[in-house]
Amino acid sequence: MVKNIRDSGLNMPIDVVECRGSVRFRIYITGIVQGVGFRPFVYNTAILYGIKGWVMNDTNGVLIEAESSMDKMAIFLAAIENNPLPLAHIDAIKIETLDPLGEETFSIKTSNYARHKDTLISPDIATCEDCLKELFDENDRRYRYPFINCINCGPRFSITTDIPYDRENTTMREFEMCAECKREYEDYTNRRFHAQPIACPKCGPSLKLYDFRSECEVKTSNIYTFIANEIQKNKIIAIKGIGGYHLCLSAVSEKACTELRTRKRRYAKPLAVMVKDIETVKQICDLSEEEEAVLLSPEHPIVLLRKKEDSLIKIAFGVAFGSQYLGVMLPYTPLHHLLLSEVEMPLVMTSGNLSDEPIEYLDDEAKEHLCNIADFMLSHDRGIAIRVDDSVTHVIDHKPYFIRRSRGFAPRPIKLPFSVPQAILACGAELKSTFCLAKGEYAFLSHHLGDLENYKTYVSFSDAIKYYEYIFDVDPKIITYDLHPEYLSTKFAYEKAGVDPDPFSSSLPEQESYMRTTYPEQKGNGLLGVYHHHAHVASCMVDNNRFDKVIGFAFDGSGYGTDGSLWGSEVFIADFKSFQRLASLAPIPLLGGSQAVKEPWRIAAYHIHALYGDDAIPQQLSEMEVYKNNELVWPDVLSLTGSLHKVTMTTGMGRLFDAVSSLLCGVDKIDYEGQAAIELESIISTNEKSSYPLPAITDLPVKLDPTAIFACVLDDIFAKTDQSVISARFHNTIVQFILNMCIYIRQKYNLDTVALSGGVFQNRYLLDHTLNKLKQNSFKLLIHNKVPANDAGISLGQVAIAAHVI
């Protein structure tokens, strides 16, 4: 008889509740229960309460057979269910009654291997306090050993090559334990009991320092002092971490930051900073209790914090330029702690790669590809099974809000509020690429893979899918993808399915694109194309365990729409099966196609032309940077308006932000996605409450004229209104538009739950003020908290839609 006690407390099987003698249970435990000290915990708990039997890992989780009196078994099971382990997460406990065998001991058995695998893997976890104490204890045998770890910390996912999670299934299999490590590994009272990455200076991995200039290994008595001295000299060090290589340099040196940006070809995107401890964070940034908790969490992500203007520690301007925010993280490996104990300054820690390429994680390739960026390379011989970038988050509405979900969180599964009928592979979109595999009630959202725009990232994408399919034993029968025909993820879906590319697109006339959209009956090939912005809203719904219809806002730069144009300011009524488009910005042309995304002045030029036609450019405009910098090509770009039938149209909200930023901030060209909007947000006056006028909503659908908003911005510029005030008024106008739409839709359709998704909602000011306005008007709000609002969450939304459509 099997009973799920996760759903019903500790109710025992009926046939044993009244038993007065010994009982024996077979106990199945699923969740994140391998690599987190769960077997040692069960063992010690059994010894404490006099339970006999055994525990082992298997390919489904942890399996226990336990025997004792009914009273002791009840206490034992309660202790397991309420386990105090910091890294474990139990999803289900099922028990089956067996005949007692009269065992006299309790033991940990060798793991049981099987073809079918349902085990979950723990993410990589930051160094724990106990290991840190040992790291700096001169009397400890692991004193200053850069690979110290225990059952509560260290590498997990990044070293796993198979499951069950045992040493032979990790990259640590190359290192045979010495007698002392083996004793600790087998001692159930020890913190390293069955800690698979256990190592020490005698038997574990070791460091190696390579000088790219002299092309030889560096021999030094203190590697950390040597590196600290080189960082003081503005040198750049490639450092192998848990999931790949970082590029490390002084965060207080303008010269070092400039040199890095030149070599890495990362000219504008902000760089992350690592500091020694939380006290240093408080010196350079404002820090709330919630932000401090996220920084100190076992995951140790990068957290975006507001910079202090009066800090005595002067972070180089070139780290984040004019941004109000700084991406900060604490050291999360022993190597980081040792380095920062010597350097005594904030360090830039950015991904070890050329701009737009995947992070390097294989030693030979890192040496080849980073030799023209770094001066030195600090490596080691513990292998990395899969590359994993740092996670990035900030705190919104007192909770973490992901920008990037990766190290520390992946591959922790997302528990779905439904069960998928068949295994699904969702291929995601293009920017901020992730994929998602789903089976049963679990969705395995991949770590961050980067922008899927080049061959190297595509190879990383396809390799990671193979890895996840193998590790989690998923054989997808359904493959779902974004309907944009040119996305590499879309082409991958068709190639994997073995059919010729023929993405479904309804290509409705523009006016019909506002009708309710459903998905056609499938052809039996297991492929489903999903609309980009529907996937955004569905992702937010899954993130909040929401099933029924919502008012959905999907604001981003662009995504394929039902009419074949690029959408991006969509207001829907949606559930998992269908959506109805109720509002958007009126479409405008992208003059020059994708070039207009990279050169926001082109969008500004269109709006100016729409306002003034072929008349002479007003004197005030001719003196602005947006015109002067592009005066020679201005007429050629505007000539494209004469053949709009050949030009891609867009309703992207992100493009409106770009156009305004081009005027106010002089952003002619962007170096990374979202740059123009980020710079526009950075100049906001938080004291300005007014907004620009909006037309009254009298009927649906609404097509808001972006040029009218742009005209208000121009009027303020001509009136010499402060830029910070104009930026605030523009943002406040978008907030007011969202509120007006919500109020109208609530009155018409009796809906009051609002889902906010898409990359535009990573704008902190916009999201904060939208939440406040909607709360004041009694709306129920859904925002992302487990996955990012940007395109990294698309694949999760695709899973939800496919599960309900097919």
Side-chain angles (χ1 to χ4, degrees):
M1 178 180 186
V2 178
K3 182 76 173 179
N4 188 336
I5 67 171
R6 207 56 170 144
D7 299 329
S8 56
L10 284 169
N11 295 329
M12 297 298 144
I14 295 171
D15 57 345
V16 299
V17 171
E18 300 301 325
C19 179
R20 294 290 180 260
S22 290
V23 294
R24 186 178 183 88
F25 291 162
R26 178 174 292 150
I27 306 162
Y28 304 88
I29 304 177
T30 57
I32 298 178
V33 290
Q34 291 192 16
V36 294
F38 204 86
R39 287 177 299 170
F41 163 69
V42 170
Y43 178 93
N44 288 321
T45 304
I47 298 299
L48 178 65
Y49 294 117
I51 307 296
K52 313 302 180 185
W54 48 264
V55 60
M56 71 176 183
N57 280 347
D58 71 4
T59 44
N60 297 305
V62 166
L63 177 62
I64 305 167
E65 285 198 12
E67 184 173 329
S68 189
S69 69
M70 191 62 240
D71 289 345
K72 287 183 178 180
M73 289 296 290
I75 296 171
F76 175 65
L77 286 166
I80 291 174
E81 185 176 35
N82 300 310
N83 79 86
L85 295 171
L87 306 184
H89 179 81
I90 296 174
D91 282 332
I93 303 176
K94 295 182 179 181
I95 59 176
E96 178 182 350
T97 59
L98 304 172
D99 293 331
L101 297 178
E103 285 191 80
E104 297 182 355
T105 61
F106 195 92
S107 64
I108 296 180
K109 280 193 171 186
T110 302
S111 298
N112 180 36
Y113 292 80
R115 187 189 65 79
H116 182 70
K117 300 178 283 190
D118 278 321
T119 304
L120 306 182
I121 301 173
S122 168
D124 304 303
I125 297 300
T127 310
C128 69
E129 289 300 319
D130 289 330
C131 283
L132 279 181
K133 289 176 185 175
E134 294 171 346
L135 184 66
F136 292 103
D137 181 355
E138 294 183 9
N139 298 314
D140 193 277
R141 73 186 190 91
R142 293 185 176 87
Y143 173 60
R144 295 178 68 83
Y145 181 57
F147 304 97
I148 190 171
N149 67 83
C150 72
I151 204 65
N152 296 317
C153 69
R156 297 293 190 274
F157 174 54
S158 63
I159 63 170
T160 300
T161 58
D162 204 346
I163 54 175
Y165 177 73
D166 290 322
R167 192 176 180 96
E168 61 264 31
N169 291 329
T170 73
T171 58
M172 285 297 295
R173 63 180 171 269
E174 307 296 330
F175 301 94
E176 184 177 349
M177 280 182 264
C178 66
E180 290 174 281
C181 284
K182 192 169 182 61
R183 178 184 57 77
E184 292 173 326
Y185 182 85
E186 294 175 348
D187 179 3
Y188 71 87
T189 65
N190 195 286
R191 200 175 79 254
R192 294 185 173 89
F193 182 47
H194 280 242
Q196 305 307 333
I198 187 173
C200 75
K202 288 183 181 179
C203 64
S206 58
L207 295 174
K208 181 186 293 185
L209 183 62
Y210 183 81
D211 185 340
F212 279 123
R213 303 301 166 246
S214 63
E215 297 184 349
C216 63
E217 187 176 344
V218 177
K219 301 295 184 181
T220 175
S221 59
N222 190 325
I223 207 165
Y224 310 107
T225 301
F226 181 92
I227 291 173
N229 290 335
E230 294 301 320
I231 289 174
Q232 292 277 7
K233 299 174 187 175
N234 297 317
K235 300 299 184 183
I236 299 169
I237 320 294
I239 298 179
K240 186 177 180 181
I242 280 186
Y245 279 84
H246 279 123
L247 294 170
C248 172
L249 57 143
S250 169
V252 299
S253 167
E254 294 292 355
K255 181 179 180 181
C257 290
T258 300
E259 189 64 28
L260 173 77
R261 289 189 178 280
T262 301
R263 295 182 189 179
K264 185 176 162 68
R265 294 180 237 159
R266 180 169 169 167
Y267 302 110
K269 193 173 184 179
L271 304 168
V273 171
M274 181 179 283
V275 300
K276 181 179 181 180
D277 49 35
I278 203 72
E279 286 70 31
T280 308
V281 178
K282 292 176 180 178
Q283 291 181 55
I284 61 175
C285 294
D286 296 325
L287 190 66
S288 69
E289 289 183 7
E290 294 91 345
E291 290 166 336
E292 182 173 343
V294 175
L295 276 169
L296 292 170
S297 68
E299 295 83 6
H300 274 38
I302 297 169
V303 182
L304 299 183
L305 304 173
R306 187 176 289 275
K307 292 189 290 190
K308 275 188 174 174
E309 298 298 329
D310 57 350
S311 173
L312 295 177
I313 301 175
K314 299 300 181 184
I315 300 296
F317 179 76
V319 168
F321 297 115
S323 175
Q324 299 173 352
Y325 297 96
L326 190 64
V328 180
M329 61 178 155
L330 294 172
Y332 58 83
T333 71
L335 179 57
H336 294 152
H337 285 281
L338 290 166
L339 182 58
L340 280 159
S341 70
E342 294 281 347
V343 175
E344 294 291 340
M345 71 170 71
L347 298 174
V348 166
M349 284 283 188
T350 189
S351 54
N353 57 356
L354 275 174
S355 187
D356 298 327
E357 292 186 359
I359 186 173
E360 300 292 348
Y361 76 111
L362 299 174
D363 298 334
D364 289 344
E365 292 185 8
K367 182 178 285 190
E368 178 185 352
H369 298 150
L370 300 180
C371 62
N372 293 320
I373 302 177
D375 299 293
F376 296 89
M377 175 172 151
L378 180 60
S379 185
H380 57 75
D381 50 356
R382 184 179 69 201
I384 298 173
I386 188 165
R387 57 167 60 92
V388 190
D389 256 309
D390 292 317
S391 294
V392 183
T393 184
H394 54 184
V395 174
I396 295 288
D397 202 26
H398 308 290
K399 293 178 291 187
Y401 189 78
F402 281 103
I403 305 298
R404 179 201 294 168
R405 180 186 182 271
S406 203
R407 177 192 51 77
F409 299 93
R412 186 182 298 153
I414 295 164
K415 191 77 178 291
L416 297 170
F418 50 82
S419 183
V420 301
Q422 301 178 75
I424 298 172
L425 167 62
C427 296
E430 183 169 71
L431 301 179
K432 313 290 191 297
S433 175
T434 66
F435 61 85
C436 188
L437 283 165
K439 66 174 180 178
E441 296 180 341
Y442 288 123
F444 298 95
L445 184 69
S446 77
H447 51 291
H448 168 78
L449 295 165
D451 294 344
L452 203 56
E453 295 181 313
N454 61 57
Y455 178 72
K456 286 187 177 180
T457 309
Y458 181 80
V459 170
S460 177
F461 171 81
S462 56
D463 287 349
I465 288 175
K466 292 175 187 175
Y467 176 87
Y468 272 65
E469 286 178 341
Y470 176 75
I471 287 290
F472 297 114
D473 195 30
V474 180
D475 181 16
K477 304 302 180 186
I478 300 169
I479 301 175
T480 180
Y481 57 91
D482 192 285
L483 276 164
H484 196 299
E486 294 305 316
Y487 282 178
L488 288 179
S489 57
T490 298
K491 295 177 180 180
F492 174 88
Y494 273 83
E495 182 178 335
K496 186 171 177 64
V499 298
D500 293 331
D502 182 25
F504 155 72
S505 173
S506 59
S507 296
L508 296 170
E510 195 272 335
Q511 67 273 16
E512 294 183 27
S513 68
Y514 290 89
M515 298 171 64
R516 179 171 177 264
T517 299
T518 58
Y519 293 88
E521 185 176 342
Q522 298 308 296
K523 301 174 183 178
N525 58 16
L527 280 171
L528 177 69
V530 170
Y531 287 109
H532 186 93
H533 299 96
H534 187 203
H536 265 310
V537 174
S539 174
C540 190
M541 292 171 65
V542 174
D543 212 341
N544 291 273
N545 292 326
R546 183 79 183 193
F547 280 96
D548 48 352
K549 280 186 169 61
V550 300
I551 305 169
F553 288 82
F555 285 3
D556 62 6
S558 65
Y560 206 67
T562 62
D563 57 1
S565 69
L566 297 178
W567 291 2
S569 55
E570 311 315 306
V571 185
F572 294 152
I573 289 177
D575 56 21
F576 291 137
K577 291 185 176 182
S578 65
F579 62 94
Q580 183 175 356
R581 189 187 191 201
L582 301 181
S584 72
L585 294 176
I588 65 163
L590 284 175
L591 302 182
S594 61
Q595 198 66 23
V597 177
K598 298 176 181 178
E599 299 180 6
W601 71 267
R602 292 169 176 261
I603 305 167
Y606 165 76
H607 288 300
I608 292 168
H609 181 267
L611 290 170
Y612 296 102
D614 294 326
D615 297 338
I617 294 289
Q619 180 65 30
Q620 300 101 314
L621 268 173
S622 65
E623 296 172 356
M624 293 176 63
E625 294 296 321
V626 67
Y627 180 76
K628 289 195 296 184
N629 292 346
N630 304 286
E631 185 175 358
L632 294 178
V633 293
W634 192 280
D636 294 334
V637 169
L638 289 183
S639 69
L640 296 172
T641 60
S643 53
L644 290 184
H645 63 286
K646 298 179 181 179
V647 177
T648 302
M649 304 297 288
T650 182
T651 63
M653 183 63 75
R655 303 290 79 86
L656 178 57
F657 275 74
D658 288 351
V660 174
S661 181
S662 181
L663 280 185
L664 288 184
C665 306
V667 181
D668 284 347
K669 296 181 180 180
I670 63 168
D671 186 51
Y672 63 94
E673 197 222 357
Q675 177 185 346
I678 289 170
E679 294 193 18
L680 182 63
E681 182 189 5
S682 71
I683 64 170
I684 283 179
S685 166
T686 56
N687 296 321
E688 178 61 33
K689 306 302 179 187
S690 66
S691 60
Y692 299 125
L694 290 167
I697 301 172
T698 58
D699 198 8
L700 298 174
V702 171
K703 285 180 267 189
L704 181 65
D705 182 8
T707 302
I709 298 173
F710 191 87
C712 294
V713 171
L714 273 178
D715 288 344
D716 264 352
I717 291 174
F718 294 162
K720 301 191 181 305
T721 305
D722 190 90
Q723 288 180 321
S724 64
V725 172
I726 301 173
S727 179
R729 287 175 179 173
F730 169 73
H731 281 80
N732 294 342
T733 302
I734 306 305
V735 171
Q736 190 62 45
F737 170 64
I738 295 170
L739 176 62
N740 293 352
M741 287 303 311
C742 287
I743 291 172
Y744 189 88
I745 294 170
R746 177 167 62 185
Q747 292 170 345
K748 188 174 180 67
Y749 292 98
N750 196 30
L751 293 172
D752 63 358
T753 300
V754 181
L756 305 175
S757 190
V760 169
F761 286 112
Q762 290 182 158
N763 182 311
R764 190 165 186 161
Y765 180 95
L766 181 73
L767 184 57
D768 276 340
H769 283 70
T770 298
L771 293 176
N772 289 337
K773 284 282 189 181
L774 294 177
K775 285 177 182 178
Q776 291 168 12
N777 285 271
S778 302
F779 285 96
K780 299 171 186 174
L781 300 173
L782 308 180
I783 65 170
H784 288 274
N785 59 83
K786 300 184 190 77
V787 303
N790 60 36
D791 282 7
I794 286 282
S795 58
L796 180 63
Q798 290 171 342
V799 162
I801 293 166
H804 288 81
V805 169
I806 294 184

